[in-house]
């Protein structure tokens, strides 16, 4: 009996070295999926790795046991090791983004092409969620726009929130943004900068590059 008990102790000790996960609220949610913010990573309660990206391991966990997928700060991963598959995903994303901007040079931030900018106005704000609407002439363009993960809301050049989705089912389509709980809501005018989708399988011709407050009169 002691032989078998002793044989199990090393594994238990290794599991204890990983540390107990400290779940936190993700930076945002997209179609029910948690999205990471700065210094946040995915972990599994009994996993040996932490995941800074939505790799196939994270996707599989979310598909089969979503309650076991947690978000924590990278400082709290214990002795978990970084997932090598995530590094491949992040490298591929950077390469894709670089190729995209080489083919289509980005416009000057101060003077973007008019057809790649949609003026927005605030139509509501509640519980940290900001609702932005376009004027009638831009509503169809907003319906043709997709939101990809980690799209920021910028106020005076600072990231103050995360774009969640375009609610295109409404007669007046809305852009839905989750504000950072540390910032104060600012009313006024905004604009969304558009770009081509990074995903080849994208069903819409445009994607949100960023949403910004604008000092228009």
């Amino acid at each position: 009996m002691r032989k078998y008990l002793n044989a199990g102790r090393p594994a238990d000790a290794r599991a204890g070295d990983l540390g107990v996960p400290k779940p936190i609220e993700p930076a945002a949610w997209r179609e029910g999926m948690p999205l990471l913010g700065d210094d946040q990573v995915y972990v599994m309660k009994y996993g040996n790795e932490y995941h800074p990206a939505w790799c196939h391991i994270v996707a599989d966990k979310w598909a089969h046991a979503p309650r076991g997928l947690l978000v924590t700060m990278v400082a709290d991963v214990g002795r978990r090791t970084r997932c090598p598959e995530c590094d491949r995903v992040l490298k591929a994303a950077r390469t894709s983004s670089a190729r995209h901007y080489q083919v289509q040079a980005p416009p000057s931030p101060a003077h973007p092409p008019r057809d790649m900018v949609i003026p927005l106005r605030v139509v509501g704000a509640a519980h940290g969620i900001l609702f932005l609407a376009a004027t009638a002439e831009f509503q169809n363009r907003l319906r043709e726009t997709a939101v990809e993960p980690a799209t920021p809301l910028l106020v005076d050049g600072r990231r103050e929130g995360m774009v969640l989705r375009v609610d295109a089912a409404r007669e007046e389509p809305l852009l839905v943004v989750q504000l950072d709980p540390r910032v104060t809501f600012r009313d006024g005018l905004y604009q969304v900068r558009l770009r081509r989708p990074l995903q080849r399988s994208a069903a819409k011709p445009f994607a949100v590059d960023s949403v910004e407050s604008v000092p228009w009169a």
Side-chain angles (χ1 to χ4, degrees):
M1 179 64 73
R2 289 181 179 177
K3 176 181 178 181
Y4 292 107
L5 289 175
N6 290 335
R9 285 178 182 173
D12 294 340
R14 287 193 299 271
D17 289 342
L18 295 177
V20 178
K22 299 178 181 178
I24 60 173
E25 184 68 16
W29 297 86
R30 180 173 181 263
E31 297 179 357
M33 298 184 297
L35 300 182
L36 299 177
D38 294 339
D39 298 323
Q40 292 183 348
V41 293
Y42 300 109
V43 295
M44 288 76 164
K45 186 174 182 181
Y46 300 109
N48 297 323
E49 297 176 331
Y50 67 92
H51 304 266
W54 189 275
C55 68
H56 73 86
I57 300 172
V58 174
D60 183 69
K61 186 67 174 180
W62 180 255
H64 296 95
R67 292 185 179 181
L69 181 64
L70 308 174
V71 174
T72 190
M73 300 300 294
V74 68
D76 295 327
V77 299
R79 295 193 177 184
R80 291 174 176 83
T81 57
R82 185 182 176 99
C83 169
E85 181 62 25
C86 287
D87 289 335
R88 286 189 284 270
V89 171
L90 293 171
K91 181 179 180 181
R94 287 192 295 267
T95 301
S96 176
S97 179
R99 288 175 179 172
H100 166 76
Y101 285 107
Q102 288 172 1
V103 173
Q104 179 178 345
S108 169
H111 304 285
R114 188 171 185 272
D115 64 345
M116 296 297 282
V117 173
I118 301 177
L120 302 169
R121 70 184 190 283
V122 177
V123 295
H127 307 293
I129 302 296
L130 180 64
F131 300 93
L132 303 172
T135 57
E137 63 178 310
F138 290 100
Q139 288 180 1
N140 286 335
R141 178 60 52 85
L142 188 58
R143 288 192 180 93
E144 295 176 335
T145 301
V147 175
E148 295 178 342
T151 302
L153 166 70
L154 302 176
V155 177
D156 297 332
R158 298 188 303 273
R159 175 175 167 173
E160 293 199 353
M162 189 83 67
V163 184
L164 298 182
R165 65 183 184 278
V166 174
D167 189 351
R170 301 167 52 92
E171 182 177 351
E172 180 184 46
L174 297 179
L175 192 72
V176 183
V177 180
Q178 182 172 19
L179 297 174
D180 189 306
R182 297 167 293 184
V183 305
T184 302
F185 162 67
R186 300 188 187 189
D187 200 352
L189 297 176
Y190 291 78
Q191 68 181 17
V192 56
R193 294 181 185 270
L194 303 180
R195 58 169 167 76
R196 305 302 176 184
L198 297 179
Q199 301 175 1
R200 293 183 179 180
S201 59
K204 296 185 177 182
F206 301 99
V208 177
D209 186 59
S210 66
V211 178
E212 308 165 344
S213 64
V214 292
W216 295 343

